[in-house]
Structures are given as structure tokens and as C-alpha cells.
């Protein structure tokens, strides 16, 4: 059935969405994270009254302003794409996404726009207390905006608090609280914002290290590093904690994603976590090739990550695709049958309703309701299609985890040498520090690859595959706009980098 | 005779907020460049991309929500209809 759809169009639309989302995410984590660190710098200034802390705060505020201005509204392009390339999806989720996205718009406008202006224009023009309050509110406001978009994303990964209306073809919200406090959305929000804090700390470390290597703005750079390292270290701990929570939620609601990012084909009790390995990218689900060229596993750790209990079973890709009666796991083939029943009965309901045969329509709806949880599987042609790209998921996850393990060590090293007052002599550390910003961005992007590639083929988990979520457009239309976006976003990125580099080159005002 | 009180100028909160913003915008340095970038970007996004390339697919094709719902239902159930047509020897 899937071959009836224009897969070329679907893939171009996916590539376009991935590109815009990844470009958008170049700007967002810095905005989310650096506002908190600026708030701390500003607080120290207000407490000490030191002009040096004031200049330091103003400098980082300026870089934040550049990032914010260049990045603002880049996310709206994704909303354009929903309406144009993903109209079936857009129609079906409109009722669920309407409220969170409207709240996001209002929160962003009132909190960010109001306090943002006071934060930038308020020096010597409003009281110090109100000015500081505004800086904190910018941090709160920008992170609150993120809540709602991540609630929407969390719902796609674990669609709770909804009911499908067969007359309107829409998922309708039944319980707002369930949608907002969806455990996947909560873990997604906490993991995203804490990783953004970590990333912002790396940004400050990179620029400050550059100054120290050049012997410029030494006092300001050292002060910036100490606060950023403490903040980054605390954020790293929180990232680990929330990452563990995210994996636990994956095991509950998206076990295929967990199996894919660990390259686990055969489920097992006390499954090990791959500490280091090279996944076999040629392996297909169901063939007899080895999953890895080589791997080193930490015994039992994946089981602990997934179930928090030794001796428990973690399902692999094969268990989820082909089923595992012993463990009570239904395979994708059986789910496909149920999904096809759901689609058939939905079609029958529509026809009976049109013909005015209420009794037959009610009967069809009843069977549809029994099978609707597997609706999406009805669109698959082979059980193997239920698995995401394993190599990409695995590599992205392990890049993220390795980098996430390195970052706290870097923060600790900076703190140690700052305490010893020998930071200027550690050229190797300062050199490493200058590229930390780039590595932080790699980790950020890898995290989203895990989240979004790992949940394929679903636009809405188990209910709607991306092949059905799309609009009936030609690939050529999407290709044109793909390249337009590529040019636009590249120009924006070049503008950001050049304006920021100029300000970094100018540096903060010296007292 | 009643004492004549001198009238002090105390503008309303709205005027003070307005002046705060106007003055803030006037003092901008890097901000001026950033605002230019924002305005050009928004014009490209809304006046070019949205208007000519990113029209709402269902919004432009149909006039009522009922038609949109019927169309999406048709799309969702299309595989079953195609299978049914094939099993009856029909053409897709």
C-alpha cells in the first residue's frame, strides 16, 4: 500500500523538515541556556555593584541578543511546512496542537517581548531590582515557550489524552492535563532545557578560552569561566538524570526506539549497554548478518536503563517486529492486521453514514474502536517497516552520550585549574575549550536525531506513519522550497556568525 | 487668597513606557543591524515564502471544514479502497 504514495515527495518533505529543524536548533539551545547564566552574572553584579561584572553581563547579553534576533521566527517555517507538505497530519492534530502552540505564542509575546526590552534597555533607566527581575523573567519566559512546543512533540511520541473523531478525521483533546503532563513530554522538556544550559556553558567556555589564549579580557574571561563551569557541571548532572528518565520512558512507550539506538536486535534479560562499537550499517531487519563489526558492552546496564531492575527483559528489534510469545510481545504483523481492520471499518463507517444506515455505521465504529490503537500499522506493507534506521539512531545516540560524558570532565578541569590559578598556563585545555561549543552543537543535533529518526516510521506513534501524514504534492514542489530554505538559512547562519565574531573581536567594555 | 500650586509634569505610565521603548531603540548600536536582519527575514518569510510557496494545502483546495475532513478521511482510507479495487480486478 505504501508504494501507492509518492515516496520521493515524502522523503524530500522529511529532508526539508529535518533541515529546517536542525537549522532552527542551531539558535534555540543557546537562547534557552544562556539566559540563565546571564541572570546569574547579572545577580552577581547587583550583589557586588562591580562595574566589571556589569560589563561582563552586558557583553554576554549582547551575544545572546544577536543569537536571539537571528534565530527568531526560524521555527515558524516548520509551521508553514505542516500546512503545505504535511496537510493530513496538520489537519488530524490541529485540535491537540492548537492550545499548546497558542499558549506558546502568548507566553513568548508577553514574557519575552516585555522583559526582553527591559533587560536590554533598562540599564540605569529602571531600578536595579526590576532590571534583574526582568533578566530572570527572560530566562523563565524563553524556557516556558519551550514547554509548549515540547508538549506538542511529546504528544507525537506518546499520544495521550486524545480520541479520534471518525467524522472529522481529527484527534481531539479529551484531557488537557494528560497532554501537558505526558511523561514523555516532561522528560523531553527537562532533558532539552538542561542540555541547553550545558550547551550555553560550553559557548561561554569556548569564547572565554579564546580570550585567554589571546591574552585579552583575561579577568572577565576567568570570571565568566568559573560561573559557566559551575553551571555547566550542575547542568551535566541534570542532563544525565533526565536522559536516564527519557530512556526509561522510551522503554515504556517507544521500545523500538530504545532497541534501535542500542542496536539491540535480539531482546534479552540483563541486556548490556554498548559502551563502544561499530554498528553494521548494511544489516537489515530479519537478515542473518551480525549487528556489529565489533562492540564492547557493559553487562546489565541497558536493562537497568530500560526497566531499573536487574533480571528483566529488554525487547529487541526482532521481538518487536516478529513478536515474542514467551514475553507476551505482539509482533508488527499482528498489529498490521488490526490496523487494516481499523482502516476498513473506518471506510465502512464513512460509507454507511453517507448511506444513512446508522445501525451498520455504529457496528463498524465499534470494531474500529477495538482496533484503533493500531491504526498506523494498517498502512505498513511489511512488518520490517516498523523499525527505524538502526545505524543512524545508534550512531547519533552514542555520539551524544560520549560527548555528554566528556563535557562534565571539561568543566571539572576548568574549575580545578581556576582554583589552582593556573588556568592561563593550560594551553592544551584552553585549546580544547575553544572547540567545545562546536562539540556541544554536535551533541544537541545528535540528540534530536535520536528522538526523531528513532521514532520512524511514525509521525504520530503507532497511529499515523509519515507516508500518510503528507500532502498530495509532487516531489518537485518540495525540492524547490528545500533549496530556497537551504539558501535562506545558510545566509542567516553566516549573518549570525559574522555579527557575533565581530562583537567577540570587539570584546566587552573594559572598566 | 488660595496658594497657587505649581503644576509638576508627571506623565502617565503609558507615556513613560512609550518613551522607554523609543529611547531604547534610539540608543541601539548592534541592535540596529539586528532589526534590519529581522525585518528582511520576516518579509522574505511572510511576503514571499508563505504567500507564494507555502500555501495551506487544505485551506486553498477546499472551502469548508466538512470538505477537508472528507478529503483527509479519503486519504486515510485510500489504501483499503485501492486494495478493494485490485481484488475486484479494477485499476488503481
Amino acid at each position: 500500500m505504501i508504494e501507492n504514495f509518492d515516496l520521493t515527495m515524502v522523503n524530500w518533505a522529511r529532508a526539508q523538515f529535518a533541515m529546517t529543524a536542525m537549522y532552527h536548533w542551531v539558535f534555540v539551545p543557546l537562547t534557552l541556556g544562556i539566559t540563565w547564566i546571564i541572570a546569574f552574572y547579572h545577580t552577581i553584579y547587583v550583589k557586588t555593584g562591580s562595574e566589571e561584572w556589569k560589563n561582563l553581563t552586558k557583553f554576554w547579553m549582547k551575544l545572546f541578543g544577536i543569537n536571539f534576533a537571528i534565530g527568531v521566527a526560524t521555527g515558524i517555517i516548520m509551521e508553514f511546512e505542516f500546512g503545505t507538505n504535511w496537510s493530513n497530519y496538520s489537519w488530524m492534530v490541529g485540535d491537540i496542537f492548537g492550545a499548546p502552540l497558542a499558549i506558546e505564542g502568548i507566553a513568548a509575546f508577553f514574557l519575552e517581548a516585555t522583559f526582553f526590552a527591559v533587560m536590554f534597555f533598562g540599564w540605569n533607566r529602571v531600578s536595579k531590582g526590576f532590571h534583574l527581575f526582568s533578566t530572570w523573567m527572560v530566562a523563565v519566559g524563553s524556557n516556558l515557550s519551550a514547554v509548549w512546543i515540547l508538549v506538542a512533540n511529546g504528544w507525537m511520541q506518546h499520544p495521550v489524552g486524545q480520541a479520534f473523531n471518525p467524522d472529522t478525521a481529527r484527534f481531539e483533546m479529551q484531557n488537557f492535563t494528560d497532554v501537558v503532563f505526558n511523561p514523555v513530554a516532561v522528560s523531553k522538556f527537562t532533558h532539552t532545557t538542561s542540555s541547553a544550559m550545558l550547551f550555553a556553558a560550553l559557548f561561554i567556555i569556548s569564547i572565554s578560552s579564546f580570550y585567554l589564549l589571546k591574552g585579552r579580557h583575561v579577568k572577565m574571561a576567568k570570571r565568566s569561566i568559573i560561573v559557566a563551569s559551575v553551571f555547566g557541571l550542575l547542568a551535566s548532572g541534570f542532563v544525565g538524570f533526565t536522559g536516564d528518565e527519557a530512556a526509561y520512558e522510551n522503554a515504556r512507550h517507544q521500545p523500538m526506539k530504545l532497541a534501535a539506538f542500542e542496536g539491540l536486535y535480539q531482546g534479552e534479560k540483563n541486556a548490556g549497554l554498548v559502551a563502544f562499537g561499530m554498528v553494521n550499517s548494511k544489516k537489515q531487519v530479519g537478515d542473518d548478518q551480525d549487528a556489529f563489526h565489533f562492540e564492547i558492552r557493559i553487562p546489565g546496564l541497558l536493562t537497568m536503563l530500560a526497566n531499573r531492575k536487574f533480571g528483566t527483559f529488554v525487547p529487541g528489534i526482532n521481538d518487536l517486529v516478529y513478536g515474542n510469545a514467551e514475553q507476551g510481545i505482539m509482533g508488527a504483523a499482528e498489529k498490521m492486521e488490526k490496523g487494516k481492520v481499523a482502516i476498513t471499518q473506518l471506510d465502512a463507517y464513512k460509507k454507511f453514514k453517507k448511506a444513512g444506515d446508522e445501525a451498520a455505521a455504529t457496528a463498524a465504529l465499534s470494531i474500529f474502536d477495538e482496533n484503533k490503537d493500531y491504526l498506523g500499522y494498517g498502512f505498513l506493507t511489511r512488518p520490517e517497516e516498523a523499525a527505524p534506521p538502526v545505524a543512524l539512531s545508534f550512531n547519533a545516540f552514542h555520539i551524544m552520550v560520549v560527548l555528554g560524558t566528556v563535557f562534565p570532565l571539561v568543566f571539572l578541569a576548568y574549575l580545578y585549574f581556576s582554583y589552582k590559578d593556573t588556568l592561563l598556563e593550560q594551553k592544551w585545555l584552553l585549546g580544547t575549550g575553544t572547540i567545545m561549543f562546536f562539540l556541544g552543537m554536535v551533541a544537541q543535533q545528535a540528540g534530536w536525531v535520536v528522538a526523531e529518526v528513532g521514532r520512524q516510521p511514525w509521525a504520530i506513534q503507532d497511529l499515523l506513519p509519515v507516508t500518510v501524514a503528507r500532502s498530495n504534492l509532487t516531489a518537485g514542489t518540495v525540492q524547490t522550497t528545500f533549496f530556497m530554505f537551504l539558501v535562506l538559512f545558510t545566509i542567516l547562519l553566516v549573518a549570525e556568525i559574522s555579527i557575533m565574531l565581530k562583537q567577540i573581536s570587539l570584546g566587552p567594555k573594559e572598566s | 487668597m488660595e496658594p497657587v500650586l505649581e503644576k509638576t509634569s508627571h506623565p502617565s505610565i503609558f507615556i513613560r513606557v512609550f518613551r522607554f521603548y523609543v529611547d531604547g531603540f534610539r540608543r541601539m548600536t548592534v541592535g540596529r543591524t539586528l532589526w534590519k536582519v529581522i525585518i528582511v527575514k520576516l518579509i522574505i518569510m511572510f511576503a514571499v515564502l508563505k504567500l507564494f510557496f507555502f500555501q495551506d494545502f487544505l485551506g486553498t483546495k477546499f472551502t469548508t471544514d466538512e470538505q477537508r475532513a472528507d478529503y483527509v478521511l479519503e486519504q486515510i482510507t485510500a489504501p483499503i479502497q485501492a486494495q478493494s479495487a485490485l481484488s475486484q480486478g479494477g485499476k488503481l
Side-chain angles (χ1 to χ4, degrees), chain A residues 42-371:
Chain A
H42 195 166
T43 305
I44 296 170
Y45 158 62
V46 171
K47 287 272 181 198
T48 61
S50 157
E51 280 296 302
E52 288 171 343
W53 279 103
K54 182 181 178 181
N55 292 337
L56 182 158
T57 307
K58 284 176 104 170
F59 173 68
W60 294 115
M61 224 179 243
K62 190 180 277 184
L63 296 192
F64 157 64
I66 294 167
N67 182 67
F68 185 90
I70 306 284
V72 76
T74 49
I76 289 176
I77 288 182
M78 287 187 275
E79 290 188 31
F80 292 176
E81 288 173 37
F82 281 143
T84 307
N85 299 344
W86 304 101
S87 60
N88 289 347
Y89 161 84
S90 197
W91 173 262
M92 292 171 84
V93 302
D95 189 67
I96 305 279
F97 282 18
L101 295 183
I103 296 170
E104 188 210 350
I106 293 165
F109 181 78
F110 283 105
L111 275 169
E112 285 179 286
T114 307
F115 292 111
F116 195 89
V118 178
M119 184 173 98
F120 277 98
F121 299 158
W123 298 102
N124 304 323
R125 304 190 65 225
V126 295
S127 72
K128 276 187 176 180
F130 182 60
H131 193 200
L132 178 62
F133 173 73
S134 300
T135 305
W136 278 102
M137 288 312 289
V138 168
V140 172
S142 49
N143 282 266
L144 270 184
S145 301
V147 170
W148 301 105
I149 194 71
L150 293 171
V151 161
N153 184 280
W155 184 86
M156 289 154 69
Q157 319 259 354
H158 179 42
V160 291
Q162 52 83 18
F164 182 76
N165 183 334
D167 294 310
T168 60
R170 301 189 94 161
F171 292 100
E172 293 176 349
M173 194 182 292
Q174 300 296 302
N175 190 324
F176 183 70
T177 315
D178 281 356
V179 173
V180 173
F181 294 102
N182 175 357
V184 175
V186 172
S187 74
K188 195 162 275 294
F189 171 71
T190 50
H191 194 53
T192 303
T193 48
S194 56
S195 71
M197 291 170 190
L198 192 162
F199 174 69
L202 293 172
F203 174 78
I204 289 171
I205 291 274
S206 289
I207 293 166
S208 303
S209 298
F210 168 76
Y211 283 142
L212 293 183
L213 281 172
K214 295 281 175 191
R216 294 172 56 198
H217 314 295
V218 171
K219 201 169 179 183
M220 167 268 179
K222 281 182 169 178
R223 285 180 165 181
S224 297
I225 281 173
I226 290 171
V227 175
S229 296
V230 172
F231 190 81
L233 196 58
L234 292 173
S236 299
F238 200 50
V239 166
F241 173 73
T242 54
D244 174 69
E245 189 63 28
Y248 183 73
E249 292 303 336
N250 280 159
R252 308 272 84 69
H253 309 296
Q254 295 174 298
M256 182 64 89
K257 184 194 277 187
L258 184 91
F261 70 59
E262 261 307 298
L264 183 73
Y265 281 84
Q266 288 299 339
E268 54 187 294
K269 287 181 179 171
N270 286 330
L273 189 84
V274 179
F276 188 68
M278 185 180 277
V279 72
N280 178 4
S281 58
K282 290 189 179 140
K283 179 170 173 57
Q284 300 289 317
V285 179
D287 71 16
D288 55 3
Q289 290 191 57
D290 289 334
F292 289 91
H293 296 297
F294 67 91
E295 87 269 31
I296 300 166
R297 287 182 186 271
I298 305 170
L301 196 57
L302 183 60
T303 286
M304 281 303 288
L305 199 69
N307 302 328
R308 294 175 180 166
K309 196 175 177 187
F310 278 120
T312 53
F313 184 82
V314 180
I317 295 166
N318 290 343
D319 302 298
L320 296 162
V321 169
Y322 303 114
N324 183 331
E326 195 184 321
Q327 296 294 332
I329 298 168
M330 190 194 293
E334 195 179 336
K335 290 180 182 177
M336 283 168 63
E337 287 306 315
K338 288 175 177 285
K340 284 181 177 63
V341 171
I343 299 169
T344 310
Q345 293 306 314
L346 183 62
D347 188 43
Y349 169 79
K350 188 179 70 177
K351 284 171 180 159
F352 288 135
K353 190 94 176 172
K354 199 169 267 179
D357 189 343
E358 284 297 330
T362 307
L365 192 58
S366 170
I367 303 172
F368 169 79
D369 282 339
E370 286 167 19
N371 296 280

Side-chain angles (χ1 to χ4, degrees), chain A residues 1 4 66 69-70 72-73 76-77 80-81 83-84 87-88 91-92 113-114 117-118 121 125 166-169 343-344 347 350 379 470 472-473 481 484-485 488 492 503, chain B residues 19-21 23-25 27-28 30 34 37-38 41-42 44-46 49-50 53-58 65 68-69 71-77 79-83 92:
Chain A
M1 285 166 228
N4 295 330
I66 294 167
I70 306 284
V72 76
I76 289 176
I77 288 182
F80 292 176
E81 288 173 37
T84 307
S87 60
N88 289 347
W91 173 262
M92 292 171 84
T114 307
V118 178
F121 299 158
R125 304 190 65 225
D167 294 310
T168 60
I343 299 169
T344 310
D347 188 43
K350 188 179 70 177
F379 300 104
R470 91 286 176 252
N472 208 351
L473 293 170
T481 49
M484 288 173 75
F485 280 156
L488 176 67
L492 286 177
Q503 291 307 314
Chain B
R19 283 181 186 163
F20 175 83
Y21 274 86
D23 201 36
F25 279 114
R27 290 179 191 203
M28 284 190 312
V30 188
L34 296 175
V37 172
I38 291 172
K41 177 172 61 177
L42 291 178
I44 292 171
M45 280 168 57
F46 285 96
L49 292 175
K50 179 67 181 160
F53 296 97
F54 280 90
Q55 292 181 347
D56 183 352
F57 183 82
L58 295 176
D65 277 355
R68 290 178 193 115
Y71 173 79
V72 174
L73 272 172
E74 190 80 20
Q75 293 281 303
I76 299 172
T77 53
I80 294 301
Q81 289 169 2
Q83 196 179 46
L92 288 179

